[in-house]
Amino acid sequence: MTTAQELAALLARAAAVGVDRQGDQQGLSEDALGLALRAIRNTILPRCLTIQADTGAMIKAEVSGGTLLTVIEVQGAESSGLTGHPLRATDPAEVSAVAKVLEELFGDAVEASVRAEPPNVEPDPTQSGIAADALMDLLGLAPFAAAVPDPLDHFQEAAADVLIAVHKADGGETPLRDSFRTPPALHDAIVRTASDPDGPLGEIGPGEILFLAPCDSADLAIGLTNDDGHWLAMVFDADSLPELSAYWSGITHGIVRLLS
Amino acid sequence: MTRDDLVRFRAGFASCELVLLADISAGTVLMSDSAIRLGQEHLDALCRTAARLFDPAATLPARLAVLSGPTGCRVFLRAAGDSAEALCCLFAPGADLTAIDTAGLDLIRSEDTGT
């Protein structure tokens, strides 16, 4: 059984892995641009992203909830007027300028890498930023709804930093972190709750996830889905509950095909 | 807590379209504030959802519940495991919920202590 000390160490390791994620990808120039935009789109928790192309072009920006908040530094494209201040989706000229910079940075690139680090400052909740979806639309790239056939799979991938285990009605527990097992009492409570026809699962509407912060667990939270009686429960770091719930509603809002 | 407290609370969150305080043991909406006037049946439906999510007999008692989906987030909080009162909020899709836990608890605990 996982002790509280083991869990704390596990979460600390998971957080360290999350903020130092780096991926090198190779492909066509449109792939490099798509990679950059997908990296922005898939960033749920506040992060400072550095996206670097093999051409030497680079952008460093604060990103949260799939939204570009502030451009910190640009190398390889003219970006005067865009760095160092909160970006606004309500300013079409600014949105176009950011899209143009990204196209200039990654339009000729073959390879690109992404590094995620903790943000320098916590994001201002009143700051709207520019959504990756808006930039993709402007650049003529495939919209999220067309490019991602399974939103829940995408969500779990995007939340990999903080996702600890997945429980299914017909598949038991799938731990996603070494040596972690959901405490038996919590596991039992999850199964009984999800299996109760009169329980909270009945409140989950089409395309919805029910996020719960249990009274008896300060470190863990649960995300429940219900696909016609086939439930799935995600166990994740409790601190990320607000960001995950906001991100899910944001991505499902733009999708016509919903979970049913 | 007064209705003005709810008004100020909702004003502090961008994209918060509704906030209500409910007595989930009695199934009663005590007070509410919203961006547009909603029919009582919508408020009662939120109250019923809160009662189901915070059922005293629940095998997974929760202090915070969020139903998140394509039309936004329905957020439910209660101050303590045995509290009869719950705060219910509606947020637009993608709204920032970072501070809702702390701010909501402060508000609902002020109701419990009469401050």
Side-chain angles (χ1 to χ4, degrees):
Chain A
M1 185 171 87
T2 304
T3 66
Q5 258 183 331
E6 288 170 344
L7 178 58
L10 179 67
L11 290 172
R13 286 200 298 275
V17 167
V19 301
D20 199 27
R21 187 181 69 239
Q22 179 173 292
D24 294 333
Q25 303 222 3
Q26 182 174 0
L28 301 176
S29 61
E30 188 171 297
D31 285 353
L33 182 58
L35 171 77
L37 286 161
R38 283 194 298 277
I40 295 169
R41 198 174 196 313
N42 293 349
T43 299
I44 302 177
L45 301 177
R47 292 286 185 264
C48 183
L49 288 191
T50 303
I51 308 171
Q52 181 136 34
D54 60 325
T55 55
M58 180 274 288
I59 184 168
K60 187 172 181 180
E62 290 176 347
V63 180
S64 179
T67 301
L68 191 63
L69 299 178
T70 308
V71 175
I72 299 168
E73 184 183 349
V74 170
Q75 291 177 11
E78 174 55 47
S79 61
S80 58
L82 292 180
T83 55
H85 70 264
L87 298 172
R88 294 163 300 167
T90 51
D91 184 345
E94 188 161 77
V95 177
S96 293
V98 169
K100 186 180 172 191
V101 164
L102 289 172
E103 193 168 33
E104 207 169 316
L105 288 173
F106 301 106
D108 295 325
V110 176
E111 292 181 3
S113 65
V114 179
R115 180 184 295 275
E117 295 167 301
N120 296 325
V121 293
E122 281 300 311
D124 180 350
T126 64
Q127 184 181 346
S128 64
I130 301 175
D133 283 342
L135 294 168
M136 291 176 101
D137 186 52
L138 209 54
L139 290 165
L141 296 178
F144 175 79
V148 179
D150 191 326
L152 190 57
D153 269 354
H154 162 81
F155 176 79
Q156 292 181 66
E157 190 180 320
D161 286 3
V162 293
L163 199 54
I164 296 169
V166 174
H167 300 253
K168 290 184 181 178
D170 55 356
E173 177 182 2
T174 304
L176 301 175
R177 297 280 179 249
D178 292 340
S179 77
F180 176 82
R181 290 294 181 276
T182 305
L186 182 58
H187 172 82
D188 289 344
I190 289 171
V191 173
R192 287 166 60 192
T193 297
S195 305
D196 180 2
D198 297 323
L201 218 67
E203 291 294 333
I204 301 174
E208 286 190 332
I209 294 178
L210 171 60
F211 293 91
L212 295 171
C215 293
D216 298 332
S217 175
D219 296 321
L220 300 176
I222 315 294
L224 280 169
T225 70
N226 182 18
D227 182 5
D228 196 24
H230 298 283
W231 59 265
L232 180 147
M234 297 170 279
V235 180
F236 54 90
D237 179 359
D239 287 342
S240 60
L241 188 153
E243 286 92 351
L244 292 183
S245 53
Y247 186 73
W248 177 253
S249 73
I251 62 174
T252 51
H253 181 62
I255 293 174
V256 175
R257 186 172 143 265
L258 303 176
L259 294 175
S260 60
Chain B
M1 188 193 306
T2 66
R3 188 172 174 278
D4 283 346
D5 293 325
L6 286 190
V7 172
R8 278 192 290 272
F9 175 86
R10 193 172 72 79
F13 288 92
S15 304
C16 181
E17 297 170 358
L18 173 140
V19 58
L20 69 83
L21 180 69
D23 182 330
I24 55 176
S25 61
T28 307
V29 176
L30 299 174
M31 62 182 89
S32 68
D33 178 60
S34 57
I36 59 171
R37 187 174 174 80
L38 294 172
Q40 188 63 38
E41 67 274 17
H42 296 291
L43 305 183
D44 290 341
L46 278 173
C47 185
R48 285 193 298 273
T49 297
R52 194 173 188 183
L53 294 174
F54 295 145
D55 184 351
T59 52
L60 189 62
R63 59 172 184 79
L64 167 70
V66 181
L67 280 159
S68 169
T71 57
C73 289
R74 291 173 281 164
V75 179
F76 304 87
L77 292 112
R78 60 177 172 174
D82 57 354
S83 173
E85 292 181 344
L87 202 67
C88 312
C89 307
L90 290 183
F91 285 87
D96 187 345
L97 303 179
T98 309
I100 187 63
D101 203 352
T102 308
L105 282 175
D106 285 345
L107 180 66
I108 204 168
R109 282 172 179 162
S110 70
E111 172 71 0
D112 283 350
T113 59
T115 57

